[in-house]
Each structure stands twice: as C-alpha cells, then as structure tokens.
Amino acid sequence: MSGGTITSDFAMLTAQLLEILRAHEGMRVFSPRNEAGEVTEHILLPKASLKLLDAAEEYQKTGDFKKVVSTVEKMDDYDMMISGRVLQEILVQAGLAEAHHRLRTFKNSVSSEVQGVTNTEDSSVVSFIGTFEKLVQKGIKPADIREAIIQQKIELVLTAHPTEAQRRSALKKHEQMLQQMKVHDAKDQLTPGQLAGLYDKIKAIQWSCWRTNTVRRTRPTPEGEARNGMLVIEETVWKAVPEHYRRLDRCLTRIGASPLPFDASILKMSSWMGGDRDGNPNVTWEVTKKVVTLLRWRVVELYYREVDELLYELSMDGEVNEEMRAEVEAVSSMWTASAPGSKVCKPDARSGVHWNFHTGVAEDEPYRRLLMAIRRRCWRTKVSMEALYMGKQNDPDFEKEVLTSSEELARPLEIMYRSLIEQGDEIVANGRLLDLIRRVRTFGISMACLDVRQESDRHSEVMDTLTSFLGLGKFTEWTEQERCDWLVKEIESKRPLLAPDMPMSDIVKEILDTYKIIAELPSEALGAYVISMSRATSDILTVCLLQKVGGVKKMMRVAPLFETREDLINAPKVIDAALGVQWYKDHVQGKQEVMLGYSDSVKDAGKFASTWELHRAMENLLEVGKKHGVQITFFHGRGGSIGRGGGPPNFILQAQPAGSLQNGHLRLTIQGETIGRHFPSDEVAERTLEQYSTAVLEHTLAPPPLPKPEFRAAMQELSDLSAEHYQKTVFKSDGEIFVRFFHTFTPTSELGQMNIGSRPAKRRSYGGIDTLRAIPWIFAWTQTRLLLPVWLGNGLALQKYIDAGKLPLLQQMYKEWPFFRSMLDLIDVELGKSSPMITEHYESKTVQQDADLKKLGADLRAGLQQMIDNILKVKGASELLSQEPNLKAAIAMRKPYLDTAHAIQAEVLKRLRSTEGEVPVELRDAMIITIQGIAAGMQNTG
C-alpha cells in the first residue's frame, strides 16, 4: 500500500501537535474573559495537562485506568478545561487520519481492481469499477448498467439537526489539513527542505486550531446554519460533481458502454436549513425567504465565474449548426445596440459596467456572443438577489432577466455543446462547458432546493382557527372522514376561504405567512413539504388546502413523515386512503413521496423493532403504490449514528426491500456531524457520491433476495420481544427509575449549553423522555459509551431464541438474508465503540450511593455484554469488528485519549452537580469541550 497507515498518520499528526504544545508549556498569555472586557492571565499549557498525557500513554501500554482517574481528580477546573482541549485536538487529528486513510484505501483498492485484484481490507470499500465488473459477471449487460445509472436520481438533503459539535471555522482548517496529508503521502519524493516546509504548514494549521475557541458563546441562527451548509456545498460538492460524472464516464467506457448523455441529471442537493420549523420557533417565513434568496444568489455567482472562464475557452469562429445560429440571432436582435441612446448601452448604475452583451466580441465569434448574453443574465440575477436579500427595491429591467428555472440556463449551454460536437470540437465541448452543464443540472437555480417541514399539530391549530371562525366548530373534533370530505370540497372550490379579518394567534399567522412566501418563491427553488408526526390522510390534504389558501400556484409535493413504530405500522393505511381520494390521486400525477423516520422509531421501540417495521412499512407502501398505479418514492430520515439509521450506504441499502428504490431514486438526509464526514474535501465528497451511486445501482440491478417465510416470522418475533423489553425499561419503570438514571448518569442537561443548533432539544417545553428529541437522546448515551438505543432489548430477544435452540436458524438468517446480516453488522460496528468500563466509571461519579440507580446501571451493563456475546454467536465471530480492520485500528489508536476525555467529563459532571450557585466558567467550558472531544473520538454525536 502506498502512502502510509492509519496509525502512522495519526502518530505523525500527534507528534507534530504535542511538539508545538510542549514548546509552549507554562507560557502565560492574556485574553478577555467576560462581557465587561476584563482581561485575565492564564497559562497556555499547564504542567498538569502534560502529566495527564503521560498517564494516558502509560494507560495505553499497561491498561491501568486508575492512574488516569487519580490524575484527573487532583486537577483544578482550569487544568481540566485545558486538558480537555488538548485531548479534543488529538481526537480530531485521529479523525483526520482515519478520513485520509479511508480515501487512500479506496484509491489503492481501485488500482488493485484495475489490475484484477479484489480488495479484502475493508468491506465498506466499493467503487464504480468493482461494482460494474461484479454486475457484468452476474450477466448484466453494460448497456443496462448505463441505463440504470442514467435513471438514477440521488438526492442528498443537508439538515441542521443539533449534532454538529465542531465549529465551521475548525472544519475549514481540517480541510486544509487533509490537503497537506495528501502531500505527506509522497514525502519520499520531497527534498529535505520541502519536507521541513510541509511539517511547518501542518504545525501552523494545528496551532491555528488550538488557538481557536471551540466553545460557541451564542446559539447559531437558522440563517447561520444555512450559510454553513451552503459553504460545504460550494467548497466541496461543487468541485466534486463534474469529477463524479467523469469517473462514471471512464468506468462505463472500461466495460464497453458509452459515456453518459451530456444532459444526464442523476444528482441533486437539497436542504432543511432555514426551512425546518418543526419545533423550532426561530425558523420564520422571513428566514425561509432569506435563505432561498441566499442560495439563489450564491449559485448564480458561481455560474457567472464559470461562464467568464468559458469566454476565454470558446473563442472558436466560423461555422455553427442551425440551432446555434438561430439562438445567436435571436439574442442579438433582442439586445441590439445599434440605436443611439439605447438602454443597453448605458452603464449599470450599480457597477459602472456597460452591459451591451456583445461589447468587444467579434461577429464571427458566435459562442462568445451567446456566452456574453448568458453572463449578463447571471449578473442581473445576482444583483437582483442581493437587493432582495437586503430588502431593497429591485431594478425592473433586471427583474425581467432573473433566472427562475434551470432550463433557462441549461438550454443555451446545451445548444452550444451540440454545435461544438457537430463541428468536430468535441474535445473542447467535453471540457469546462460539459462540467458547467452538469452543474446546472445538479444545482439548478438554487444551490440546494429548500424543503419546508412543520408538525401536523401546528396545521391543526390553523384549521381549528379557520373552522371556528366560520362557525363550523373545531376541525380537530370532526371525524377523519368529515375532515377529508370538507378539505377536498374546499380545495376544489373556486371561492376564497380565508377572511382577511379572521382573528388568529401569532403561531397561526406565522404558518399562513409561510404559505404566502412559498407562493412568491420560484417552485424550482423548493423541494418537499414534509409533515412531521403524520398520522392521517387529513394531515396530507390539510397541507394541500393551506397551499391553496396561501396562493401557491404550483404546489410543493407533500411528503408525510411517519416516525414512531405505531405510525410506521399505520403508514400504508394512511397512504392508501389518501390515494383513494380522487382529487389527490389526480394531483400527485403518479408519484407520491413518503418520508420514513429512523430516529424516533428507534427511540420509541429499539433498533430491532425500528429496522423491521421500517422494512415492513416500505414493503406495504410499495404494494399500496402498485394498487393505485402510483410510484412511491421513499425519503429516508437517517441520522449520523447507527442508532439513528446511519452507516455505510452499501450496508444500509441492504436493509431495504427489493424494489424500494423505484427508478433508482434515493432521497435521504445527511445530518449534523455527518455533513463534515461526507464532505470535508472535494475528494472525499467524490467518494461519498460514488458510494451512494454504486449502492443504488447494485440494489436496483441485483436486488436482495426475498426472505424465507421462517425468516420473516423469526424477525417479527425478535422485533416484538425486543420492543416489549425496551419499552418496559424506558417508559414503564417503577417510580420512573429509568428517567432518573438517564438524567443523572448522562450529560443530557449539559448538552443544552453547547449552542450547537438553533432548535430546542424538545418539541415541547414540558414532558419527559417521550417529548425529548431522538438526537439528544442518542447523543447522551454516546457520550457515556453505553450506546443503549442500539442494543436494549435486542440481546434479550436473541437470548430467548438461543435458549430455545434456534441459534442455527439465526445463523442461517445471517448467512442468507442481507437485511438481517446488514442489521447485525451495523450493530456490531456500534458495539465496537462501547465500553462497560467507562460506563461503570460514569456511574461511580454520578449515581454514587443511589441503590436503585446503581442496580439499574449494573443491569444495563449486563444487557450490553449479553448483546455483545449473542451477536458474536450469531455471526460466528470471536470478537467485534472482525470484518472492519480499519475501523478496529482507528478505535484502538483513539482509546487512551478518548478514555481520558471520559475521565475528565465524569469528574466535571460530579463537580457540576455538587456546585451551588453560579458555575465557574472553566468548569462549564470543560464540560462543553469534553462533549466535543468525545464526539470527535466516537465519530458521531447523535
């Protein structure tokens, strides 16, 4: 293998970091510490921190955790805070080493596949070359592979769930670090001076990270979250998209198929940032309007730059095809500058630039003439979006030329492309121009289509207000049939429904104003309207009516979200009833999107039950679609952690039934901290896109086999057994012992201090675990290494089957059923990050002398061990992560530093809960820093 190993990369980065830190041991610096601007002196790196690092390294060699704990216990609050920062940076370096090594492993794997050698190092390594050749070996024709790729529509939806524990300023530096690590792989080719310069650059980035405060003092705004998401797309995905298509073209050619059509559109980026108002009062109609405007503004500026570059490349003169000639003539006649005093000859007041579109372009340079017209529209769109964002009046002349659909931009570009091909200039056509065409087909007029999400109960509040004002009683007190009948009648009615003088609450007014702004925005800039907690057909029809009330001409597609186990079971009935309404069936025109929630279903019933009910819901919904002649598209609300539906694409798609990716359409969320892992650099972004594309392709052309009846029966029983135990433990414990344990044992209350998201941790300000969002629920268990949501109930269910002599059946299911195998493999990966020892240490610091809580803690640790033992029996493995050597090595190298971070956090928890009055800022920051460090070490938060 070229380059290095994950451990050598980590050793190099850690050595560099510690070298610069030790050089500043005991240095005294000054910094502001309070709002009054008072400046205090502090030590950059105390000796206590170095002692703790020595203890961590000794722990790595001897396995003696006691010295680490005793060292931490002797520290003051400031020493713990600084030590936590050191460990945080080390754990971040470990993540960078892992990301870099995975990319290196992938490249080496592809090189091996080209040479006919199969990769066996990492089961998550898949590539176009390997997948294409595997499908050809199965008898699938290259032309069919190409056609399946063309039909794909992979839509990645960035969400701003509060799980991104690292600040954007740090993530940008990490991208720079990855670039330097690429150079380091070729260190043998560098001169001594160049190598020294490289190490200096790495140290400079590390020092900049170290000196950047990782503690957010204010909670981010929804618009700020949207800006961060926009930056990720611009800096990595924008660069990755053209190379993704080129890689596909090369690999298709390799198997004897033609490259993709120039106008193929197989990727799409969307976002919830600025549109997700479910439980987040900070997302208003003004925010949504601003975010859409920002997305349109930024993407058209990128288009402008690309068109500007093309003006230098497409300098060809002479003949063009008839289509191109007609387009140039049409544009020229529209914007002729022959008349004296013509408006187009006047300088733009904003820029001072003469916007005659063909100024300085010779008549025999048709491509440049057309490009100048395109550039003009891009500029005017950009200026108009800027004015709209600032709340200023748009120039009417500019407004006429604003781009409102991707076709307006793609059409002239594709005309040029066809003309170049016909004239024998394919080498030029297939360069920057083709890249731009594919970007336009991917990003459209908005960098990401914005979804809107709202909870069904909020819509019901609007309907209650409306029907009560009309003297019809409360909408929510009607029967489901009465609601549906009235909704359809009002949708079809031509008279207005909303009275201008209707009294309403601020919440109702905000919701209605949201629909009005949806009506104002270009439909292409918007995605789906997602209804959280959907439970009835009337929830879907209500959103259709409210769009009509708001004046929406081209309605957003409605995607009901089914989240809990019970809702998943009822989902097919709801969609069946909706498609049974003739108006609605005609309205959807053969396509219905359904969103499936992976987070709340796990929180509600545990991993086995959630995974199985999601699988069954998809099967049953597909049957409903067939019944009505409607294509069901699934929108997967997957989180970052395996406990919330995350995992490698080739694993998670195996858990879906055959046919669930209709026409190769995959839509799923990329949440929180996984955004940084999916798109830290353009190369990793390319790899991310390739992973999803190959997984979809294989699932489409070589779908998983149907399970045997006895497999289905066993999985249903395992699901029921595990859910019963899970719900009894979590929701039905005597004296709410479990609730007390959760709030005492985990840092759940401290997570609220992190300012890591604009949304509250609960949908409502009251209630217990049932109202807690799934993200902080899993985040809290991850921090303590118990990882309860991914295993509770499952180990007991497996044990009952094993005790009944059914271990051979379970082993057969694992061997022959991809669904069962992927589920256990993903749980295996998560369990590999657990630690009963660390869990017990948290108990000693938090639970202390409470006998009930101590007993529950011991029972839970026994349950964790039971799950580990039983999953190994079923898989026939001797240890966890036996199929994931890279991940196993990554966890091992993090262990001494991660466990030491846990030791600090547990001590901080103890001190926080014994502190009366105001909490010292050092102690509070130590808590936040260790949360960030542990999240970096675990490679996921929620």
Side-chain angles (χ1 to χ4, degrees), residues 593-610:
E593 185 170 316
V594 177
M595 186 171 183
L596 304 173
Y598 288 71
S599 305
D600 282 282
S601 55
V602 170
K603 175 174 167 283
D604 179 52
K607 183 64 175 176
F608 271 14
S610 169

Side-chain angles (χ1 to χ4, degrees), residues 475-639:
F475 178 82
T476 51
E477 294 176 356
W478 299 354
T479 66
E480 173 65 7
Q481 190 60 52
E482 287 172 335
R483 293 179 199 173
C484 291
D485 290 345
W486 186 81
L487 287 165
V488 172
K489 182 184 73 172
E490 292 300 329
I491 290 171
E492 293 180 328
S493 173
K494 295 182 179 179
R495 64 170 173 78
L497 179 64
L498 183 65
D501 60 340
M502 183 181 80
M504 62 186 76
S505 67
D506 291 341
I507 291 175
V508 170
K509 184 177 185 306
E510 167 59 35
I511 293 172
L512 290 174
D513 285 344
T514 296
Y515 286 101
K516 291 177 184 177
I517 207 64
I518 289 172
E520 292 181 17
L521 297 170
S523 59
E524 194 177 305
L526 299 170
Y529 193 108
V530 180
I531 312 170
S532 296
M533 296 298 174
S534 297
R535 296 189 175 91
T537 298
S538 58
D539 292 333
I540 301 171
L541 296 175
T542 292
V543 172
C544 293
L545 176 60
L546 290 176
Q547 289 195 71
K548 179 195 171 187
V549 168
V552 180
K553 300 301 181 185
K554 184 178 181 181
M555 289 189 183
M556 296 178 70
R557 64 185 187 275
V558 180
L561 167 54
F562 300 100
E563 301 178 77
T564 67
R565 187 191 187 204
E566 181 180 354
D567 291 344
L568 288 169
I569 293 171
N570 292 329
K573 295 178 183 178
V574 173
I575 299 301
D576 185 36
L579 295 177
V581 176
Q582 192 59 48
W583 175 87
Y584 186 73
K585 183 178 179 180
D586 294 341
H587 170 70
V588 300
Q589 298 182 328
K591 294 181 180 180
Q592 172 65 54
E593 185 170 316
V594 177
M595 186 171 183
L596 304 173
Y598 288 71
S599 305
D600 282 282
S601 55
V602 170
K603 175 174 167 283
D604 179 52
K607 183 64 175 176
F608 271 14
S610 169
T611 307
W612 179 236
E613 293 304 344
L614 283 160
H615 187 90
R616 291 184 64 232
M618 281 187 272
E619 289 180 324
N620 293 333
L621 285 164
L622 289 171
E623 289 301 316
V624 169
K626 289 179 183 177
K627 171 184 172 182
H628 292 279
V630 172
Q631 177 183 314
I632 303 294
T633 297
F634 293 113
F635 179 13
H636 302 276
R638 296 183 180 274

Side-chain angles (χ1 to χ4, degrees), residues 292 300 378 823:
V292 170
V300 81
C378 288
M823 182 178 68

Side-chain angles (χ1 to χ4, degrees), residues 725 729 738 741 745 781-782 784-799 826-843 855-873 880 938:
H725 180 68
T729 303
F738 185 87
F741 181 85
F745 171 71
W781 294 113
T782 302
T784 56
R785 300 279 286 282
L786 187 57
L787 302 170
L788 177 139
V790 81
W791 62 261
L792 182 61
N794 305 340
L796 181 71
L798 290 175
Q799 189 64 52
L826 287 169
I827 293 174
D828 180 326
V829 168
E830 196 79 341
L831 291 176
K833 300 177 182 180
S834 66
S835 174
M837 180 197 75
I838 293 298
T839 297
E840 188 173 9
H841 179 65
Y842 272 85
E843 289 177 30
K855 182 181 183 304
L856 177 57
D859 290 344
L860 292 176
R861 279 185 281 110
L864 169 60
Q865 190 59 53
Q866 181 187 57
M867 181 61 185
I868 292 173
D869 294 341
N870 288 339
I871 201 170
L872 292 177
K873 289 177 184 177
L880 296 173
M938 293 292 286

